[in-house]
Amino acid sequence: MQEGSDYTETENFIQRFKDHKLHGHDFNIIMAVIKEMGIKRGADLAYFRGETYGEALPPPYQSGSLRLYCGRYSRNIVILCNGGIKTSRLVQTSPDCKPHFDLMNALMKQINERAAERMLREVNKKLEGNLHFEIGDCYE
């Protein structure tokens, strides 16, 4: 959750797209995949579109222009972020997606670095350790 916000990034995504007329089908696919991972199969790599430091949903075998950016820490842990409507081939030229893509990459870069330094670890399917992140206004 970003400082000063009442909602997580994922809650903002859900509020924005749950009743969306044009992208409701895409939203339902993304939610179904999250449910499938959480209840039945775990976070298999096949569910994700690889991005710079993280991933995106829906899976590559699903079409649609709605993206939810996330980071797969392990088969048991996925950090869900926010997303938007991808309007061009490259996310960097999709103004609705780019800020969420950048935030996810900045966050996952820090998570990956902390995991490599053993400052984070998975314990009983939960992420433990230093979970306070300072992303700032300018993403690296």
Side-chain angles (χ1 to χ4, degrees):
M1 182 177 301
Q2 289 193 36
E3 195 172 311
S5 177
D6 292 334
Y7 301 102
T8 67
E9 289 296 299
T10 309
E11 288 170 334
N12 287 331
F13 175 84
I14 290 168
Q15 290 303 312
R16 184 172 169 208
F17 292 107
K18 69 179 179 179
D19 296 321
H20 200 280
K21 302 228 183 297
L22 204 53
H23 298 284
H25 178 72
D26 294 351
F27 175 82
N28 290 336
I29 289 171
I30 290 169
M31 292 296 111
V33 168
I34 292 169
K35 184 176 179 180
E36 178 80 11
M37 283 190 287
I39 294 175
K40 295 182 182 177
R41 300 183 190 251
D44 291 332
L45 285 174
Y47 285 122
F48 301 97
R49 296 171 186 269
E51 300 292 350
T52 307
Y53 288 102
E55 288 77 31
L57 293 170
Y61 53 84
Q62 295 284 344
S63 62
S65 56
L66 187 62
R67 297 288 185 272
L68 175 63
Y69 294 100
C70 54
R72 181 186 180 274
Y73 182 83
S74 72
R75 185 174 167 75
N76 298 313
I77 298 173
V78 175
I79 295 95
L80 298 175
C81 296
N82 201 334
I85 301 165
K86 190 172 177 199
T87 55
S88 66
R89 191 177 74 75
L90 298 174
V91 69
Q92 291 82 355
T93 56
S94 290
D96 194 43
C97 282
K98 186 167 178 357
H100 308 298
F101 172 83
D102 288 344
L103 178 60
M104 177 272 303
N105 278 307
L107 176 62
M108 289 311 299
K109 181 179 180 195
Q110 287 189 31
I111 287 173
N112 293 338
E113 288 170 355
R114 289 180 190 184
E117 295 169 2
R118 299 189 185 272
M119 295 171 64
L120 294 177
R121 66 190 175 286
E122 181 178 342
V123 177
N124 298 321
K125 298 183 179 183
K126 293 182 182 177
L127 194 57
E128 291 188 353
N130 182 359
L131 298 173
H132 180 78
F133 299 94
E134 296 281 336
I135 304 295
D137 294 331
C138 182
Y139 308 132
E140 297 176 359

